[in-house]
Structure formats: structure tokens, C-alpha cells
């Protein structure tokens, strides 16, 4: 088992990073750190995907010098998935930041627990 | 290829196009465009349903110019078509009936953005029904999440912002988990299209390879999608989000958006992993237990609410529990009953949210029950439709809720003893609890208010228009129609499920 973890060292680290990001997003009270956690989590998945598609000694999947032999390039699908994932992660980050700005303007704090308490005191 | 076969693609494309166009229109035009689009999508989906009934089985539709193992596909069968037809009809009727008091909740000059989100969530819902590609499903899960978060935060007060943030955090966790699950599955199999994935998974399973990663994949996908659909232990975001969002958003979120995720989960179980593999991993048992717990705890929490909107919101948690109990049975009959319950709940819940909003509007914006006395007389259409759908939630005969409960108990009858007992016992208890809180609400809505209280009630700022009254009653009648004529829907569900495996 430890040997397998060493062979797939990128995936091992990706899963550890995923755990770190997940815990930050779930448990941290500061909204900004939650957003950082979200980004760590997404980046971990991207590392996981890219490392899976990478074959050592091959070229990036962009046709160079007119060579179309597929065996000279790495698998392009995971890279495509990562690009899509980056777009999704950016839009999530933007939305969360917008929400955070609004909450901060209203309550002057970034602590989600305090915000919840303050909101409860408000009349609906 | 006949023209009808293109309709699913057209309807998805039309919704996305509508989302782009409405962003630059004014409020009125955006509203018209969105209503037109959902009506057209309904007509096209109905045509597709009719076509799949006459055609033999299902067909897949290539998106773009790359054939099967590389390109992107959607798949159209009877089950997808019947779901798309009913969901788009419900969306159309919800919009027609629920928009009358949007001005109370959202700034008029920004309301076109609300319609952008409605269009995008309908597009995402359709893609989740039709897609044959797991990664496309992921992308549209995210689009759905962003759209539904924006649907909650159109209302700009503190409560709504906090619930939107909590909704977003839970959904982001779920998205991350789902994405990791899909990536791992891709790592094991090397495919993203569902038929190829299923082939690869069954080969892997037969050879006994990757048994731990495969279990982890199923676990990640199940947990991710059940967080998003507010299954019991992960439901903490739901009551706040549904209770604080504008009523029409709550109706769309609870009625339609959560159903999209569950349908995708069923699709993954049947068309990607394969039910026999899922059964061998004992995840269905967990879903069954969570479903039962959700039915009980959701209903108990709903009984304890003193606020009509939050009561309806907690009742959603209980209804999602019914659906997951059906899936957790692991039989075709159980899943079919769960699918029918999804339809029944999708038809009833928007009416409940919108009519309860109309009732509270007619009682001076008070949500507590003792202010609602006599509201059923002040706003008759809302009172009648609330009563009809409340009957359906309780499971009175002639309503859709009755049929789904009968189907669930029939599916439970053939299971081993412990399961059968659990299913029947929980159904009985939960029906009783539903009756307690829904009939209590109906009674208090129709109780005569004292004359001085009656005089003190101010007129609502935005009373229901005739259009919204009529469409609300039509949507409420849909639960009766589904209850009386459940045959064709049920047949399509069964035929579609057979073609899934």
C-alpha cells in the first residue's frame, strides 16, 4: 500500500490537498478563508486530472510541425476537463466573493457564525 | 432522422439562448421571452414524448461532429421525455402563477436578471435529464447551482444573503465531491460517455479490479448529489433557503431543481455504474435508512414550525426522503415509485409555496398561523389550490400523492421482512404527521377570523392577478389529473427504466 501511494504520488497529494480544501470550506468561520479552501479543493482535483492524463516523455496535445501521430502526445481529454473546471471554479469564486462583499457591507464582519447571529436578530 | 428527434437539442439551446438574450432586455420583455421559451419547451417535449411512445425504445443524438467514444451525446427515451414534458409544464405554470408579487422581493430594474437565472436553470434541468455524458452533467450541475443561488439572492435582505451563502457553501462542497468522483471514475475507466462507462465498469467489476476505488466513486457521486438534493443528514441548508427566497424561486428550487439532481443520480446508478454493482456495494441500504430518517425527521420538524413558509420547506425535506427510500429499495418498482413521487412532489410543491405566499400577502405579510385565519376567504384561488395540493401531500385518494404512496408500499411489499416493515411503518407514521400539519394549516386558513381582526388586515400591495389565479388552480388540478390518470406516466416510467439497464 505505501508503495502504491509513492508510485501515484501526484494523486496522493491531490487527495490530501482536496481534504485540506474541503475541511477549510466546511469548517472555517472566516468567509475569505472558506473561498481559499474552495480554490485549494478545486485545484487539487485539477492536479488529480492532469497527473492522470500525463504520460512522461510525450508532448502537450497541440499539433506541432504537422505531426498528427497520436502516440506522440499526451491524453488531451483530462486537459480539456481541467480547462472547463477552471472556468467553473472562477465563476464560483466570483459569486462567493460577491456574496462576501455584500455580507461584509451589511454586517462589517467576515465571521459566518457572527453574521448568522446578527441576521437572526434582524426583523424579517 | 425526423425533425422531432432534434427537439431536445432545440429546447436546451433555446433555453441557453433565452438566458443570453434576457440579460439585455427590460423586465417586461424578459418576462415574456422566458414565458414563451418555457411554453415552447413544453410543447416540444410533449411532441418528443409522443414520438418516443410510437418509436421503438430510445435514441442518442450526437452533439457536434465527433462520433461516440470522443464526442458529446444526449440520449432521449420515454423516461427522459415524460420528465421533460412534466417539468417544463410545471415551470411554465409556476412562472405564470408566481410572478405576481416579485416586485415585493426584487428591485424592478434588476428583474431581467431573475429571468436569466430561470432560463439557465431550465436549460440545466433539461441537460440533466437528457445528457449521455458525465462531464456535461457536471458542468450543468454547476450552472444549476449558480443559477439557483442567484434565484435565492434576488431578494436583498440579511436573511436571504445568509441563507444564500450557506446554500452556496454546502453546494460547493457537493460539487467538489462530485467532480472528484467523476475524475476518479474517468481514471479507472477512461471514458465519459455513459454506455462506454457502463461497459468498462462491468468489465472491471467482473474481474474484481479496483473494487475500493469503485466503491469510493459511487460513494462520492451519491453523497455529492444527495447534498445538492437536500437528503436528510445534509438538509440543513434547505429550510432557510426555501423559506427566505422569494416564493417563486422557492417553488422552482424545491419543485424542480432538486429533482434534476435526483434524476441524474438515478441515471448514474442505472446507466453508468449498473444496479447490480451498486447493490453489491451496500450504498442503497444507506440511502434507504437516510430516506426513512428524512421522512420522519422532516415531518416532525414541519409539525413544530409556527411559520407557514418554513413548514412547507421542511415538508420538502420529508418528501425527498420518500424519493430516496424508493431508490434505496433497489428494485425497479421502487425506483419507478420514487420517480412518480418526484413528479407528484414537483407538481404539488410550487403550488404550496406560491399559494402560501398569496395567503400570507392577504394577511398583512404575517406568516404565523394565527394571523392566517380567514385567509382562504380573502384569497379564494390560493386557498383552494393550497387545499388540493395539501391533500396530495397527505395522500388522499384521487391525488398524485396517493398513487405514489400506493406504489411505494406495493414496491415495499415484495422486499424482505425488515424492509417491508420499515417501509409500511414509516409510510404510515409519515402520512399521519403530514395530515397533522397540512390539515391543521387548511383548517386555520378557513377558520373565520374575528370581525375586528378581519378589518385590521391591510390590502396586499400586489394582489394576485387573474392570470396567476387561473394558472395556480390549473397547476393544482395537475396533481388531481396525475392522480386519476397516472397510467400513461407510470407506463413511460417503467418502459424508460427498462431501457436504462
Amino acid at each position: 500500500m505505501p508503495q502504491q501511494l509513492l508510485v501515484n504520488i501526484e494523486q496522493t497529494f491531490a487527495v490530501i490537498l482536496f481534504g485540506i480544501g474541503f475541511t477549510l470550506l466546511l469548517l472555517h468561520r472566516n468567509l475569505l478563508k472558506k473561498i481559499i479552501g474552495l480554490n485549494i479543493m478545486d485545484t487539487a482535483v485539477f492536479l488529480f486530472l492532469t497527473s492522470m492524463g500525463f504520460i512522461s516523455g510525450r508532448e502537450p496535445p497541440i499539433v506541432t510541425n504537422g505531426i498528427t501521430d497520436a502516440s506522440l502526445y499526451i491524453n488531451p481529454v483530462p486537459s480539456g476537463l481541467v480547462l472547463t473546471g477552471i472556468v467553473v471554479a472562477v465563476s464560483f469564486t466570483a459569486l462567493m466573493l460577491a456574496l462576501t462583499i455584500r455580507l461584509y457591507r451589511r454586517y462589517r464582519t467576515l465571521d459566518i457564525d457572527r453574521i448568522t447571529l446578527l441576521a437572526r436578530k434582524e426583523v424579517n | 432522422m425526423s425533425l422531432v428527434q432534434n427537439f431536445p437539442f432545440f429546447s436546451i439551446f433555446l433555453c441557453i439562448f433565452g438566458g443570453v438574450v434576457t440579460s439585455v432586455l427590460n423586465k417586461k420583455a424578459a418576462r415574456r421571452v422566458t414565458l414563451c421559451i418555457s411554453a415552447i419547451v413544453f410543447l416540444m417535449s410533449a411532441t418528443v414524448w409522443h414520438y418516443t411512445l410510437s418509436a421503438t425504445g430510445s435514441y442518442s443524438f450526437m452533439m457536434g461532429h465527433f462520433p461516440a467514444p470522443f464526442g458529446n451525446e444526449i440520449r432521449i427515451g420515454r423516461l427522459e421525455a415524460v420528465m421533460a414534458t412534466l417539468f417544463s409544464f410545471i415551470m411554465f405554470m409556476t412562472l405564470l402563477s408566481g410572478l405576481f408579487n416579485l416586485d415585493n422581493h426584487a428591485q424592478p430594474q434588476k428583474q431581467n436578471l431573475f429571468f436569466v437565472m430561470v432560463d439557465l436553470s431550465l436549460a440545466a434541468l433539461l441537460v440533466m435529464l437528457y445528457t449521455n455524458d458525465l462531464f456535461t452533467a457536471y458542468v450543468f450541475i454547476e450552472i444549476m447551482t449558480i443559477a439557483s443561488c442567484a434565484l435565492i439572492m434576488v431578494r436583498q435582505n440579511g436573511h436571504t444573503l445568509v441563507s444564500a451563502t450557506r446554500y452556496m457553501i454546502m453546494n460547493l462542497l457537493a460539487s467538489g465531491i462530485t467532480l472528484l468522483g467523476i475524475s476518479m471514475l474517468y481514471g479507472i475507466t477512461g471514458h465519459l460517455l455513459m454506455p462506454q462507462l457502463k461497459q468498462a465498469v462491468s468489465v472491471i467489476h467482473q474481474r474484481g479490479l479496483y473494487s475500493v476505488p469503485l466503491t469510493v466513486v459511487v460513494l462520492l457521486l451519491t453523497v455529492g448529489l444527495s447534498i445538492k438534493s437536500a437528503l436528510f443528514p445534509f438538509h440543513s441548508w434547505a429550510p432557510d433557503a426555501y423559506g427566505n427566497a422569494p416564493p417563486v424561486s422557492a417553488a422552482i428550487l424545491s419543485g424542480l431543481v432538486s429533482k434534476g439532481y435526483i434524476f441524474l443520480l438515478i441515471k448514474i446508478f442505472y446507466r453508468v455504474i449498473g444496479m447490480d454493482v451498486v447493490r453489491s456495494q451496500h450504498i442503497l441500504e444507506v440511502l434507504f435508512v437516510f430516506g426513512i430518517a428524512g421522512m420522519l425527521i422532516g415531518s416532525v420538524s414541519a409539525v413544530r414550525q409556527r411559520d407557514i413558509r418554513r413548514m412547507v420547506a421542511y415538508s420538502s425535506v420529508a418528501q425527498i426522503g420518500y424519493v430516496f427510500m424508493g431508490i434505496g429499495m433497489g428494485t425497479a418498482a421502487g425506483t419507478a415509485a420514487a420517480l412518480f413521487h418526484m413528479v407528484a412532489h414537483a407538481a404539488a410543491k410550487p403550488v404550496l409555496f406560491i399559494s402560501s405566499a398569496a395567503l400570507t400577502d392577504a394577511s398583512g405579510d404575517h406568516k404565523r398561523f394565527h394571523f392566517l385565519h380567514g385567509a382562504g376567504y380573502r384569497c379564494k384561488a390560493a386557498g383552494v389550490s393550497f387545499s388540493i395540493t395539501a391533500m396530495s401531500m397527505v395522500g388522499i385518494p384521487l391525488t398524485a400523492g396517493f398513487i405514489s404512496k400506493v406504489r411505494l408500499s406495493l414496491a415495499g411489499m415484495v422486499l424482505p421482512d425488515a424492509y417491508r416493515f420499515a417501509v409500511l411503518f414509516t409510510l404510515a407514521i409519515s402520512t399521519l404527521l403530514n395530515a397533522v400539519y397540512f390539515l391543521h394549516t387548511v383548517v386555520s386558513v378557513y377558520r373565520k377570523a374575528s370581525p375586528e381582526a378581519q378589518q385590521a388586515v391591510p390590502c396586499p400591495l400586489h394582489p394576485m392577478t387573474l392570470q396567476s389565479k387561473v394558472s395556480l388552480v390549473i397547476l393544482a388540478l395537475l396533481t388531481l389529473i396525475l392522480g386519476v390518470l397516472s397510467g400513461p406516466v407510470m407506463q413511460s416510467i417503467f418502459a424508460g427504466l427498462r431501457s436504462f439497464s
Side-chain angles (χ1 to χ4, degrees):
Chain A
M1 193 69 179
Q3 266 173 338
Q4 279 171 338
L5 289 181
L6 274 182
V7 171
N8 298 318
I9 191 146
E10 296 95 344
Q11 271 99 331
T12 315
F13 270 95
V15 172
I16 293 171
L17 274 178
F18 185 88
I20 294 171
F22 189 87
T23 329
L24 262 182
L25 180 55
L26 183 65
L27 298 177
H28 212 287
R29 286 160 58 184
N30 187 320
L31 279 169
L32 278 180
K33 294 196 179 161
K34 269 186 193 293
I35 297 173
I36 294 172
L38 159 73
N39 279 292
I40 293 177
M41 188 174 83
D42 280 339
T43 316
V45 181
F46 303 152
L47 173 63
F48 189 89
L49 272 169
T50 24
S51 70
M52 227 158 39
F54 181 72
I55 306 163
S56 71
R58 295 200 191 172
E59 292 293 309
I62 301 164
V63 176
T64 31
N65 303 332
I67 302 167
T68 50
D69 184 4
S71 64
L72 295 175
Y73 298 106
I74 64 166
N75 183 358
V77 178
S79 319
L81 302 187
V82 169
L83 282 180
T84 319
I86 288 173
V87 174
V88 170
V90 166
S91 37
F92 269 151
T93 313
L95 184 60
M96 275 306 280
L97 283 172
L99 264 173
T100 311
I101 290 172
R102 276 201 184 157
L103 282 174
Y104 185 77
R105 282 202 186 132
R106 209 179 177 93
Y107 298 108
R108 292 283 147 197
T109 170
L110 287 172
D111 184 334
I112 183 80
D113 291 348
R114 280 200 58 201
I115 291 175
T116 313
L117 276 180
L118 289 172
R120 233 171 248 159
K121 281 183 201 149
E122 259 176 49
V123 189
N124 200 355
Chain B
M1 183 180 265
S2 66
L3 180 68
V4 183
Q5 287 182 309
N6 294 304
F7 279 3
F9 164 69
F10 287 163
S11 40
I12 293 168
F13 188 77
L14 195 64
C15 291
I16 296 178
F17 182 70
V20 176
V21 169
T22 41
S23 62
V24 293
L25 294 177
N26 63 19
K27 171 190 153 191
K28 252 194 178 146
R31 178 187 175 135
R32 271 194 207 124
V33 167
T34 308
L35 282 172
C36 278
I37 284 175
S38 53
I40 295 171
V41 168
F42 163 62
L43 291 177
M44 289 206 284
S45 311
T47 326
V48 173
W49 184 22
H50 182 256
Y51 173 81
T52 51
L53 284 180
S54 56
T56 49
S58 57
Y59 64 94
S60 47
F61 183 89
M62 196 168 86
M63 310 276 278
H65 293 287
F66 294 98
F70 306 108
N72 198 340
E73 275 182 356
I74 55 177
R75 173 194 186 272
I76 297 97
R78 281 181 203 176
L79 183 53
E80 290 95 331
V82 68
M83 287 288 170
T85 310
L86 289 167
F87 284 170
S88 50
F89 179 72
I90 292 166
M91 178 67 106
F92 178 57
M93 282 302 171
T94 308
L95 287 175
L96 267 186
S97 57
L99 292 176
F100 68 96
N101 63 357
L102 191 62
D103 283 344
N104 283 352
H105 304 291
Q107 296 166 329
Q109 64 273 23
K110 284 193 177 171
Q111 278 181 19
N112 62 332
L113 300 177
F114 174 84
F115 293 106
V116 174
M117 298 308 158
V118 171
D119 284 332
L120 287 183
S121 56
L122 184 57
L125 186 67
L126 288 172
V127 172
M128 277 189 216
L129 294 176
Y130 285 130
T131 185
N132 208 13
D133 178 288
L134 214 48
F135 203 77
T136 311
Y138 165 73
V139 172
F140 279 86
I141 287 174
E142 306 299 44
I143 292 178
M144 183 86 113
T145 307
I146 291 179
S148 44
C149 179
L151 281 178
I152 299 174
M153 51 190 272
V154 288
R155 191 181 187 187
Q156 303 267 346
N157 68 23
H159 289 277
T160 318
L161 282 179
V162 174
S163 358
T165 313
R166 293 201 167 272
Y167 176 86
M168 207 55 201
I169 292 168
M170 285 310 276
N171 274 278
L172 288 174
L173 292 169
S175 303
I177 294 174
T178 318
L179 180 58
L180 188 65
I182 293 174
S183 320
M184 280 183 158
L185 190 60
Y186 178 75
I188 302 171
T189 58
H191 286 291
L192 285 169
L193 278 179
M194 292 186 181
Q196 280 81 2
L197 269 171
K198 189 169 183 192
Q199 237 171 4
V201 169
S202 70
V203 169
I204 287 169
H205 186 67
Q206 273 161 14
R207 293 197 191 145
L209 296 166
Y210 296 118
S211 67
V212 177
L214 200 59
T215 315
V216 173
V217 164
V218 178
L219 195 71
L220 289 173
L221 290 174
T222 313
V223 171
L225 289 170
S226 39
I227 293 177
K228 280 178 177 279
S229 52
L231 175 63
F232 152 65
F234 318 115
H235 70 286
S236 57
W237 55 267
D240 283 340
Y242 296 163
N244 292 327
V248 62
S249 310
I252 294 171
L253 286 181
S254 153
L256 300 170
V257 169
S258 59
K259 306 299 183 304
Y261 300 128
I262 304 178
F263 189 87
L264 186 64
L265 184 66
I266 293 177
K267 211 167 173 175
I268 287 175
F269 277 176
Y270 276 84
R271 301 207 51 230
V272 177
I273 313 287
M275 263 326 239
D276 40 340
V277 182
V278 177
R279 249 178 243 123
S280 70
Q281 288 166 335
H282 304 290
I283 282 169
L284 291 172
E285 281 92 328
V286 180
L287 281 185
F288 183 79
V289 172
F290 282 175
I292 279 186
M295 282 161 73
L296 295 176
I297 290 170
S299 303
V300 170
S301 320
V303 171
R304 292 172 50 200
Q305 297 306 314
R306 290 284 157 269
D307 167 342
I308 184 168
R309 289 279 303 278
R310 285 184 70 84
M311 181 201 85
V312 176
Y314 267 109
S315 127
S316 292
V317 175
Q319 304 298 320
I320 297 295
Y322 280 82
V323 175
F324 274 97
M325 182 186 79
I327 299 171
M329 287 178 193
T331 56
T335 314
L339 283 163
F340 190 80
H341 194 77
M342 265 163 61
V343 172
H345 181 233
K349 202 33 68 86
V351 181
L352 286 173
F353 272 116
I354 291 167
S355 56
S356 61
L359 290 173
T360 50
D361 277 0
S363 317
D365 205 20
H366 289 295
K367 290 172 184 158
R368 308 229 157 189
F369 287 119
H370 53 272
F371 289 109
L372 289 175
H373 290 176
Y377 300 109
R378 292 193 287 272
C379 188
K380 292 198 181 62
V384 169
S385 17
F386 190 91
S387 313
I388 295 175
T389 40
M391 300 294 166
S392 171
M393 295 309 249
V394 177
I396 308 279
L398 292 183
T399 59
F402 173 70
I403 303 287
S404 66
K405 279 185 187 170
V406 167
R407 289 283 174 182
L408 278 171
S409 27
L410 283 178
M413 287 302 266
V414 295
L415 295 174
D417 275 340
Y419 277 83
R420 188 169 58 206
F421 177 74
V423 169
L424 297 180
F425 186 72
T426 337
L427 270 175
I429 298 273
S430 160
T431 305
L432 207 65
L433 289 169
N434 280 348
V436 168
Y437 60 84
F438 272 119
L439 298 185
H440 162 251
T441 317
V442 171
V443 168
S444 63
V445 161
Y446 279 107
R447 181 184 283 173
K448 276 264 190 285
S450 56
E452 56 267 31
Q454 183 78 18
Q455 299 236 309
V457 172
C459 253
L461 198 58
H462 296 281
M464 281 189 100
T465 55
L466 182 67
Q467 179 198 24
S468 54
K469 280 180 187 164
V470 171
S471 41
L472 190 63
V473 174
I474 292 177
L475 196 50
L477 288 178
L478 179 67
T479 56
L480 289 182
I481 295 169
L482 279 173
V484 179
L485 301 169
S486 64
V489 176
M490 223 43 218
Q491 276 166 11
S492 290
I493 289 176
F494 271 115
L497 267 185
R498 263 199 305 278
S499 76
F500 264 15
S501 42

